[in-house]
Amino acid sequence: MGATITYNKKYFKKRRKEQISLTKFVSTPPFPKNALIELTNACNHACLFCKNSHQLRKPTYLSLQTYSTFIKQAVKLGLKEVGLYATGEPFMTKEIEKYILFAKNNGVERVYITTNGALAEISKVKKCFEAGLDSIKFSINASNKEDYKIIHGKDDFEKVLKNLKEIYNWKYKNKLNLQILGSCVLVPSMPHTKKEHFKIFNEYFDDSLYVESTSQGGQKFDYPLPENDLKKIFTTLNEVNEKDLKPCLMVFNRYHLTAEGYLSACCIDYNLNLVFSDINKENLIESWHNNVIKKLREKHINRKLDNTICHSCLTNSKKPYKAIKKVSSNKFSVEKFEKIENKLIKRFQLKTSS
């Protein structure tokens, strides 16, 4: 909310305009033409700014059966595009090409993926392209090997660059209709990143997107760290006045399917605070207009977001919240989560002391 977004070319800017123009801010909006599907919440990296490295949920994978049920129903309701990613790394999904192929064979016009790139070997990407993949976006959040290891938590900078170059060369050698995009989340303590990143990667991308790190949907306020440490990783923005709040587009214009088969109002709902339906139990027509999500949309429209995590996100401030619907999920034990949390704190301290 409010972070600076920089576009190098026209693709991302055009997409944003389309999203805004197609959004109807009503409690029962039209069925979406776009869906983001969380094949898994597991990730091979642990980016400092990403809630993935501080979530309560154990790694979960979306079954092909649940996915298929959703795709069939959504296409009948007008679904045109599917993004196979959300809170995790899609290439951790075995036989990901089967998910792509099913979508394309059942009427989805465009399938796209966002990946950190470390597992995107050209052999895997070729299978995905043959299955119908239209676009792949590389999320590379540093501009050199040293920074990359700090931010991503893994020493994979050279591996990612190698994968990207091989895919790029394969695409142009064979004149393939595969879109290659890039994105980078910028952290305040590395002001050199954008300029260096552009110099290294711009030639490989059809378009690239630079976004300042913000509150991760209000979830940064749950990190057990001092404010001064958080400011090194997250862009500091002023708190937004209640009267200036604007509804979040994604609550109204896009499906977000979790690995459990839940529908969420947010693409980064790591701890399932914005789940409003279970498509294993409720069909998509009922789900999209059920009372839980209608009430949340009304809260956005009326700027009355008390007790929702959306309140923290849109005001950029710590607010009390609870889940809009109680759902079950496989969670880490208290002991295991404490170990995960302590490991993250040590990484923060390493970064912020440098």
PDB file of all heavy atoms in Angstrom, residues 200-230:
ATOM      1  N   ILE A 200      22.165  -5.454 -15.118  1.00  0.00           N
ATOM      2  CA  ILE A 200      22.448  -6.879 -15.302  1.00  0.00           C
ATOM      3  C   ILE A 200      21.325  -7.599 -16.037  1.00  0.00           C
ATOM      4  O   ILE A 200      21.564  -8.395 -16.949  1.00  0.00           O
ATOM      5  CB  ILE A 200      22.675  -7.563 -13.935  1.00  0.00           C
ATOM      6  CG1 ILE A 200      23.908  -6.991 -13.249  1.00  0.00           C
ATOM      7  CG2 ILE A 200      22.819  -9.091 -14.107  1.00  0.00           C
ATOM      8  CD1 ILE A 200      24.044  -7.429 -11.797  1.00  0.00           C
ATOM      9  N   PHE A 201      20.081  -7.315 -15.661  1.00  0.00           N
ATOM     10  CA  PHE A 201      18.970  -8.164 -16.085  1.00  0.00           C
ATOM     11  C   PHE A 201      18.063  -7.590 -17.172  1.00  0.00           C
ATOM     12  O   PHE A 201      17.312  -8.348 -17.794  1.00  0.00           O
ATOM     13  CB  PHE A 201      18.100  -8.517 -14.865  1.00  0.00           C
ATOM     14  CG  PHE A 201      18.808  -9.346 -13.842  1.00  0.00           C
ATOM     15  CD1 PHE A 201      19.202  -8.786 -12.627  1.00  0.00           C
ATOM     16  CD2 PHE A 201      19.094 -10.682 -14.070  1.00  0.00           C
ATOM     17  CE1 PHE A 201      19.850  -9.538 -11.668  1.00  0.00           C
ATOM     18  CE2 PHE A 201      19.747 -11.448 -13.119  1.00  0.00           C
ATOM     19  CZ  PHE A 201      20.125 -10.882 -11.914  1.00  0.00           C
ATOM     20  N   ASN A 202      18.106  -6.308 -17.407  1.00  0.00           N
ATOM     21  CA  ASN A 202      17.112  -5.703 -18.294  1.00  0.00           C
ATOM     22  C   ASN A 202      17.068  -6.325 -19.693  1.00  0.00           C
ATOM     23  O   ASN A 202      16.003  -6.475 -20.285  1.00  0.00           O
ATOM     24  CB  ASN A 202      17.360  -4.197 -18.417  1.00  0.00           C
ATOM     25  CG  ASN A 202      16.308  -3.512 -19.263  1.00  0.00           C
ATOM     26  OD1 ASN A 202      15.117  -3.569 -18.949  1.00  0.00           O
ATOM     27  ND2 ASN A 202      16.726  -2.875 -20.340  1.00  0.00           N
ATOM     28  N   GLU A 203      18.221  -6.708 -20.216  1.00  0.00           N
ATOM     29  CA  GLU A 203      18.260  -7.241 -21.586  1.00  0.00           C
ATOM     30  C   GLU A 203      17.497  -8.559 -21.729  1.00  0.00           C
ATOM     31  O   GLU A 203      17.074  -8.930 -22.836  1.00  0.00           O
ATOM     32  CB  GLU A 203      19.702  -7.448 -22.036  1.00  0.00           C
ATOM     33  CG  GLU A 203      20.472  -8.502 -21.253  1.00  0.00           C
ATOM     34  CD  GLU A 203      21.888  -8.718 -21.795  1.00  0.00           C
ATOM     35  OE1 GLU A 203      22.002  -9.208 -22.928  1.00  0.00           O
ATOM     36  OE2 GLU A 203      22.846  -8.383 -21.065  1.00  0.00           O
ATOM     37  N   TYR A 204      17.302  -9.268 -20.618  1.00  0.00           N
ATOM     38  CA  TYR A 204      16.656 -10.578 -20.692  1.00  0.00           C
ATOM     39  C   TYR A 204      15.133 -10.502 -20.542  1.00  0.00           C
ATOM     40  O   TYR A 204      14.433 -11.475 -20.842  1.00  0.00           O
ATOM     41  CB  TYR A 204      17.211 -11.500 -19.609  1.00  0.00           C
ATOM     42  CG  TYR A 204      18.701 -11.669 -19.681  1.00  0.00           C
ATOM     43  CD1 TYR A 204      19.539 -11.103 -18.713  1.00  0.00           C
ATOM     44  CD2 TYR A 204      19.289 -12.372 -20.732  1.00  0.00           C
ATOM     45  CE1 TYR A 204      20.912 -11.251 -18.784  1.00  0.00           C
ATOM     46  CE2 TYR A 204      20.666 -12.523 -20.823  1.00  0.00           C
ATOM     47  CZ  TYR A 204      21.475 -11.952 -19.839  1.00  0.00           C
ATOM     48  OH  TYR A 204      22.843 -12.083 -19.921  1.00  0.00           O
ATOM     49  N   PHE A 205      14.616  -9.363 -20.062  1.00  0.00           N
ATOM     50  CA  PHE A 205      13.192  -9.279 -19.736  1.00  0.00           C
ATOM     51  C   PHE A 205      12.406  -8.483 -20.768  1.00  0.00           C
ATOM     52  O   PHE A 205      12.855  -7.442 -21.241  1.00  0.00           O
ATOM     53  CB  PHE A 205      13.007  -8.627 -18.363  1.00  0.00           C
ATOM     54  CG  PHE A 205      13.610  -9.403 -17.220  1.00  0.00           C
ATOM     55  CD1 PHE A 205      14.246  -8.740 -16.176  1.00  0.00           C
ATOM     56  CD2 PHE A 205      13.528 -10.781 -17.179  1.00  0.00           C
ATOM     57  CE1 PHE A 205      14.798  -9.443 -15.124  1.00  0.00           C
ATOM     58  CE2 PHE A 205      14.086 -11.501 -16.123  1.00  0.00           C
ATOM     59  CZ  PHE A 205      14.718 -10.823 -15.097  1.00  0.00           C
ATOM     60  N   ASP A 206      11.207  -8.972 -21.080  1.00  0.00           N
ATOM     61  CA  ASP A 206      10.294  -8.205 -21.923  1.00  0.00           C
ATOM     62  C   ASP A 206       9.793  -6.976 -21.171  1.00  0.00           C
ATOM     63  O   ASP A 206       9.437  -5.969 -21.788  1.00  0.00           O
ATOM     64  CB  ASP A 206       9.109  -9.077 -22.336  1.00  0.00           C
ATOM     65  CG  ASP A 206       9.540 -10.263 -23.182  1.00  0.00           C
ATOM     66  OD1 ASP A 206      10.457 -10.100 -24.007  1.00  0.00           O
ATOM     67  OD2 ASP A 206       8.975 -11.360 -23.019  1.00  0.00           O
ATOM     68  N   ASP A 207       9.726  -7.068 -19.880  1.00  0.00           N
ATOM     69  CA  ASP A 207       9.416  -5.922 -19.020  1.00  0.00           C
ATOM     70  C   ASP A 207       9.854  -6.291 -17.607  1.00  0.00           C
ATOM     71  O   ASP A 207       9.965  -7.471 -17.271  1.00  0.00           O
ATOM     72  CB  ASP A 207       7.925  -5.599 -19.044  1.00  0.00           C
ATOM     73  CG  ASP A 207       7.602  -4.224 -18.459  1.00  0.00           C
ATOM     74  OD1 ASP A 207       8.556  -3.479 -18.143  1.00  0.00           O
ATOM     75  OD2 ASP A 207       6.414  -3.886 -18.336  1.00  0.00           O
ATOM     76  N   SER A 208      10.146  -5.304 -16.793  1.00  0.00           N
ATOM     77  CA  SER A 208      10.544  -5.554 -15.416  1.00  0.00           C
ATOM     78  C   SER A 208       9.859  -4.579 -14.480  1.00  0.00           C
ATOM     79  O   SER A 208       9.482  -3.472 -14.862  1.00  0.00           O
ATOM     80  CB  SER A 208      12.068  -5.477 -15.248  1.00  0.00           C
ATOM     81  OG  SER A 208      12.580  -4.295 -15.798  1.00  0.00           O
ATOM     82  N   LEU A 209       9.716  -5.021 -13.238  1.00  0.00           N
ATOM     83  CA  LEU A 209       8.941  -4.304 -12.240  1.00  0.00           C
ATOM     84  C   LEU A 209       9.779  -4.161 -10.974  1.00  0.00           C
ATOM     85  O   LEU A 209      10.336  -5.140 -10.471  1.00  0.00           O
ATOM     86  CB  LEU A 209       7.675  -5.111 -11.940  1.00  0.00           C
ATOM     87  CG  LEU A 209       6.697  -4.628 -10.893  1.00  0.00           C
ATOM     88  CD1 LEU A 209       5.982  -3.376 -11.391  1.00  0.00           C
ATOM     89  CD2 LEU A 209       5.675  -5.727 -10.611  1.00  0.00           C
ATOM     90  N   TYR A 210       9.871  -2.939 -10.455  1.00  0.00           N
ATOM     91  CA  TYR A 210      10.599  -2.683  -9.209  1.00  0.00           C
ATOM     92  C   TYR A 210       9.615  -2.174  -8.169  1.00  0.00           C
ATOM     93  O   TYR A 210       8.908  -1.184  -8.394  1.00  0.00           O
ATOM     94  CB  TYR A 210      11.713  -1.663  -9.428  1.00  0.00           C
ATOM     95  CG  TYR A 210      12.815  -2.174 -10.329  1.00  0.00           C
ATOM     96  CD1 TYR A 210      12.792  -1.922 -11.699  1.00  0.00           C
ATOM     97  CD2 TYR A 210      13.861  -2.932  -9.819  1.00  0.00           C
ATOM     98  CE1 TYR A 210      13.787  -2.411 -12.535  1.00  0.00           C
ATOM     99  CE2 TYR A 210      14.869  -3.426 -10.642  1.00  0.00           C
ATOM    100  CZ  TYR A 210      14.824  -3.157 -12.006  1.00  0.00           C
ATOM    101  OH  TYR A 210      15.812  -3.654 -12.828  1.00  0.00           O
ATOM    102  N   VAL A 211       9.567  -2.844  -7.027  1.00  0.00           N
ATOM    103  CA  VAL A 211       8.601  -2.520  -5.989  1.00  0.00           C
ATOM    104  C   VAL A 211       9.305  -2.376  -4.650  1.00  0.00           C
ATOM    105  O   VAL A 211      10.126  -3.220  -4.273  1.00  0.00           O
ATOM    106  CB  VAL A 211       7.535  -3.636  -5.864  1.00  0.00           C
ATOM    107  CG1 VAL A 211       6.465  -3.238  -4.856  1.00  0.00           C
ATOM    108  CG2 VAL A 211       6.912  -3.952  -7.209  1.00  0.00           C
ATOM    109  N   GLU A 212       9.002  -1.316  -3.936  1.00  0.00           N
ATOM    110  CA  GLU A 212       9.555  -1.158  -2.586  1.00  0.00           C
ATOM    111  C   GLU A 212       8.916  -2.170  -1.641  1.00  0.00           C
ATOM    112  O   GLU A 212       7.715  -2.454  -1.729  1.00  0.00           O
ATOM    113  CB  GLU A 212       9.281   0.257  -2.077  1.00  0.00           C
ATOM    114  CG  GLU A 212      10.072   1.331  -2.810  1.00  0.00           C
ATOM    115  CD  GLU A 212       9.782   2.715  -2.276  1.00  0.00           C
ATOM    116  OE1 GLU A 212       8.730   2.896  -1.635  1.00  0.00           O
ATOM    117  OE2 GLU A 212      10.605   3.616  -2.492  1.00  0.00           O
ATOM    118  N   SER A 213       9.708  -2.730  -0.748  1.00  0.00           N
ATOM    119  CA  SER A 213       9.172  -3.680   0.230  1.00  0.00           C
ATOM    120  C   SER A 213       8.303  -2.938   1.234  1.00  0.00           C
ATOM    121  O   SER A 213       8.705  -1.910   1.776  1.00  0.00           O
ATOM    122  CB  SER A 213      10.313  -4.387   0.960  1.00  0.00           C
ATOM    123  OG  SER A 213      11.118  -3.441   1.640  1.00  0.00           O
ATOM    124  N   THR A 214       7.103  -3.458   1.433  1.00  0.00           N
ATOM    125  CA  THR A 214       6.214  -2.820   2.405  1.00  0.00           C
ATOM    126  C   THR A 214       5.775  -3.835   3.454  1.00  0.00           C
ATOM    127  O   THR A 214       6.583  -4.669   3.874  1.00  0.00           O
ATOM    128  CB  THR A 214       5.006  -2.177   1.702  1.00  0.00           C
ATOM    129  OG1 THR A 214       4.384  -3.161   0.852  1.00  0.00           O
ATOM    130  CG2 THR A 214       5.427  -0.994   0.853  1.00  0.00           C
ATOM    131  N   SER A 215       4.531  -3.820   3.849  1.00  0.00           N
ATOM    132  CA  SER A 215       4.149  -4.558   5.057  1.00  0.00           C
ATOM    133  C   SER A 215       3.727  -6.003   4.832  1.00  0.00           C
ATOM    134  O   SER A 215       3.278  -6.653   5.763  1.00  0.00           O
ATOM    135  CB  SER A 215       3.014  -3.821   5.775  1.00  0.00           C
ATOM    136  OG  SER A 215       1.800  -3.972   5.059  1.00  0.00           O
ATOM    137  N   GLN A 216       3.865  -6.521   3.610  1.00  0.00           N
ATOM    138  CA  GLN A 216       3.451  -7.899   3.338  1.00  0.00           C
ATOM    139  C   GLN A 216       2.007  -8.129   3.795  1.00  0.00           C
ATOM    140  O   GLN A 216       1.693  -9.041   4.561  1.00  0.00           O
ATOM    141  CB  GLN A 216       4.374  -8.892   4.041  1.00  0.00           C
ATOM    142  CG  GLN A 216       5.634  -9.222   3.265  1.00  0.00           C
ATOM    143  CD  GLN A 216       5.397 -10.284   2.193  1.00  0.00           C
ATOM    144  OE1 GLN A 216       5.226 -11.458   2.488  1.00  0.00           O
ATOM    145  NE2 GLN A 216       5.389  -9.847   0.940  1.00  0.00           N
ATOM    146  N   GLY A 217       1.128  -7.267   3.304  1.00  0.00           N
ATOM    147  CA  GLY A 217      -0.285  -7.400   3.651  1.00  0.00           C
ATOM    148  C   GLY A 217      -0.564  -7.164   5.117  1.00  0.00           C
ATOM    149  O   GLY A 217      -1.490  -7.733   5.696  1.00  0.00           O
ATOM    150  N   GLY A 218       0.240  -6.307   5.751  1.00  0.00           N
ATOM    151  CA  GLY A 218       0.068  -6.007   7.169  1.00  0.00           C
ATOM    152  C   GLY A 218       0.790  -6.970   8.079  1.00  0.00           C
ATOM    153  O   GLY A 218       0.791  -6.805   9.308  1.00  0.00           O
ATOM    154  N   GLN A 219       1.456  -7.959   7.518  1.00  0.00           N
ATOM    155  CA  GLN A 219       2.041  -9.022   8.328  1.00  0.00           C
ATOM    156  C   GLN A 219       3.415  -8.695   8.886  1.00  0.00           C
ATOM    157  O   GLN A 219       3.908  -9.392   9.765  1.00  0.00           O
ATOM    158  CB  GLN A 219       2.094 -10.318   7.501  1.00  0.00           C
ATOM    159  CG  GLN A 219       0.699 -10.835   7.164  1.00  0.00           C
ATOM    160  CD  GLN A 219       0.687 -11.908   6.089  1.00  0.00           C
ATOM    161  OE1 GLN A 219       0.382 -13.064   6.350  1.00  0.00           O
ATOM    162  NE2 GLN A 219       1.011 -11.528   4.859  1.00  0.00           N
ATOM    163  N   LYS A 220       4.049  -7.641   8.393  1.00  0.00           N
ATOM    164  CA  LYS A 220       5.361  -7.285   8.935  1.00  0.00           C
ATOM    165  C   LYS A 220       5.251  -6.902  10.413  1.00  0.00           C
ATOM    166  O   LYS A 220       6.207  -7.035  11.175  1.00  0.00           O
ATOM    167  CB  LYS A 220       5.986  -6.129   8.154  1.00  0.00           C
ATOM    168  CG  LYS A 220       5.620  -4.733   8.636  1.00  0.00           C
ATOM    169  CD  LYS A 220       6.503  -3.657   8.063  1.00  0.00           C
ATOM    170  CE  LYS A 220       6.202  -2.302   8.681  1.00  0.00           C
ATOM    171  NZ  LYS A 220       6.995  -1.215   8.121  1.00  0.00           N
ATOM    172  N   PHE A 221       4.060  -6.446  10.807  1.00  0.00           N
ATOM    173  CA  PHE A 221       3.871  -6.014  12.195  1.00  0.00           C
ATOM    174  C   PHE A 221       3.839  -7.189  13.170  1.00  0.00           C
ATOM    175  O   PHE A 221       3.856  -6.992  14.382  1.00  0.00           O
ATOM    176  CB  PHE A 221       2.587  -5.188  12.310  1.00  0.00           C
ATOM    177  CG  PHE A 221       2.594  -3.968  11.429  1.00  0.00           C
ATOM    178  CD1 PHE A 221       1.834  -3.921  10.270  1.00  0.00           C
ATOM    179  CD2 PHE A 221       3.383  -2.876  11.735  1.00  0.00           C
ATOM    180  CE1 PHE A 221       1.844  -2.807   9.447  1.00  0.00           C
ATOM    181  CE2 PHE A 221       3.411  -1.749  10.921  1.00  0.00           C
ATOM    182  CZ  PHE A 221       2.636  -1.723   9.766  1.00  0.00           C
ATOM    183  N   ASP A 222       3.800  -8.409  12.627  1.00  0.00           N
ATOM    184  CA  ASP A 222       3.851  -9.594  13.481  1.00  0.00           C
ATOM    185  C   ASP A 222       5.276 -10.097  13.702  1.00  0.00           C
ATOM    186  O   ASP A 222       5.496 -11.014  14.486  1.00  0.00           O
ATOM    187  CB  ASP A 222       3.026 -10.732  12.855  1.00  0.00           C
ATOM    188  CG  ASP A 222       1.533 -10.428  12.826  1.00  0.00           C
ATOM    189  OD1 ASP A 222       1.089  -9.641  13.674  1.00  0.00           O
ATOM    190  OD2 ASP A 222       0.833 -10.963  11.953  1.00  0.00           O
ATOM    191  N   TYR A 223       6.234  -9.500  12.986  1.00  0.00           N
ATOM    192  CA  TYR A 223       7.622  -9.918  13.164  1.00  0.00           C
ATOM    193  C   TYR A 223       8.098  -9.510  14.565  1.00  0.00           C
ATOM    194  O   TYR A 223       7.874  -8.377  15.002  1.00  0.00           O
ATOM    195  CB  TYR A 223       8.526  -9.250  12.132  1.00  0.00           C
ATOM    196  CG  TYR A 223       8.512  -9.880  10.761  1.00  0.00           C
ATOM    197  CD1 TYR A 223       7.354  -9.925   9.998  1.00  0.00           C
ATOM    198  CD2 TYR A 223       9.665 -10.421  10.211  1.00  0.00           C
ATOM    199  CE1 TYR A 223       7.330 -10.496   8.739  1.00  0.00           C
ATOM    200  CE2 TYR A 223       9.662 -10.997   8.946  1.00  0.00           C
ATOM    201  CZ  TYR A 223       8.493 -11.031   8.223  1.00  0.00           C
ATOM    202  OH  TYR A 223       8.469 -11.594   6.982  1.00  0.00           O
ATOM    203  N   PRO A 224       8.781 -10.405  15.298  1.00  0.00           N
ATOM    204  CA  PRO A 224       9.224 -10.118  16.672  1.00  0.00           C
ATOM    205  C   PRO A 224      10.536  -9.346  16.679  1.00  0.00           C
ATOM    206  O   PRO A 224      11.537  -9.779  17.251  1.00  0.00           O
ATOM    207  CB  PRO A 224       9.410 -11.523  17.252  1.00  0.00           C
ATOM    208  CG  PRO A 224       9.874 -12.319  16.070  1.00  0.00           C
ATOM    209  CD  PRO A 224       9.128 -11.773  14.881  1.00  0.00           C
ATOM    210  N   LEU A 225      10.535  -8.179  16.040  1.00  0.00           N
ATOM    211  CA  LEU A 225      11.762  -7.413  15.880  1.00  0.00           C
ATOM    212  C   LEU A 225      11.533  -5.945  16.198  1.00  0.00           C
ATOM    213  O   LEU A 225      10.433  -5.407  15.997  1.00  0.00           O
ATOM    214  CB  LEU A 225      12.268  -7.536  14.440  1.00  0.00           C
ATOM    215  CG  LEU A 225      12.726  -8.935  14.029  1.00  0.00           C
ATOM    216  CD1 LEU A 225      12.625  -9.108  12.533  1.00  0.00           C
ATOM    217  CD2 LEU A 225      14.156  -9.158  14.491  1.00  0.00           C
ATOM    218  N   PRO A 226      12.571  -5.261  16.661  1.00  0.00           N
ATOM    219  CA  PRO A 226      12.458  -3.827  16.937  1.00  0.00           C
ATOM    220  C   PRO A 226      12.176  -3.044  15.654  1.00  0.00           C
ATOM    221  O   PRO A 226      12.580  -3.436  14.558  1.00  0.00           O
ATOM    222  CB  PRO A 226      13.839  -3.461  17.503  1.00  0.00           C
ATOM    223  CG  PRO A 226      14.444  -4.744  17.935  1.00  0.00           C
ATOM    224  CD  PRO A 226      13.894  -5.793  17.014  1.00  0.00           C
ATOM    225  N   GLU A 227      11.492  -1.936  15.802  1.00  0.00           N
ATOM    226  CA  GLU A 227      11.130  -1.114  14.656  1.00  0.00           C
ATOM    227  C   GLU A 227      12.357  -0.680  13.862  1.00  0.00           C
ATOM    228  O   GLU A 227      12.334  -0.641  12.627  1.00  0.00           O
ATOM    229  CB  GLU A 227      10.349   0.117  15.128  1.00  0.00           C
ATOM    230  CG  GLU A 227       9.885   1.038  14.012  1.00  0.00           C
ATOM    231  CD  GLU A 227       8.830   0.395  13.112  1.00  0.00           C
ATOM    232  OE1 GLU A 227       8.186  -0.581  13.544  1.00  0.00           O
ATOM    233  OE2 GLU A 227       8.668   0.879  11.974  1.00  0.00           O
ATOM    234  N   ASN A 228      13.449  -0.372  14.543  1.00  0.00           N
ATOM    235  CA  ASN A 228      14.668   0.066  13.836  1.00  0.00           C
ATOM    236  C   ASN A 228      15.232  -1.018  12.929  1.00  0.00           C
ATOM    237  O   ASN A 228      15.797  -0.730  11.867  1.00  0.00           O
ATOM    238  CB  ASN A 228      15.731   0.513  14.842  1.00  0.00           C
ATOM    239  CG  ASN A 228      15.408   1.848  15.465  1.00  0.00           C
ATOM    240  OD1 ASN A 228      14.636   2.632  14.905  1.00  0.00           O
ATOM    241  ND2 ASN A 228      15.968   2.116  16.633  1.00  0.00           N
ATOM    242  N   ASP A 229      15.094  -2.286  13.337  1.00  0.00           N
ATOM    243  CA  ASP A 229      15.538  -3.389  12.490  1.00  0.00           C
ATOM    244  C   ASP A 229      14.631  -3.544  11.276  1.00  0.00           C
ATOM    245  O   ASP A 229      15.092  -3.738  10.154  1.00  0.00           O
ATOM    246  CB  ASP A 229      15.564  -4.699  13.279  1.00  0.00           C
ATOM    247  CG  ASP A 229      16.766  -4.791  14.206  1.00  0.00           C
ATOM    248  OD1 ASP A 229      17.642  -3.906  14.122  1.00  0.00           O
ATOM    249  OD2 ASP A 229      16.832  -5.734  15.010  1.00  0.00           O
ATOM    250  N   LEU A 230      13.329  -3.449  11.501  1.00  0.00           N
ATOM    251  CA  LEU A 230      12.365  -3.592  10.412  1.00  0.00           C
ATOM    252  C   LEU A 230      12.546  -2.512   9.350  1.00  0.00           C
ATOM    253  O   LEU A 230      12.339  -2.753   8.159  1.00  0.00           O
ATOM    254  CB  LEU A 230      10.939  -3.542  10.961  1.00  0.00           C
ATOM    255  CG  LEU A 230      10.504  -4.729  11.831  1.00  0.00           C
ATOM    256  CD1 LEU A 230       9.129  -4.482  12.419  1.00  0.00           C
ATOM    257  CD2 LEU A 230      10.508  -6.019  11.026  1.00  0.00           C
TER     258      LEU A 230
END
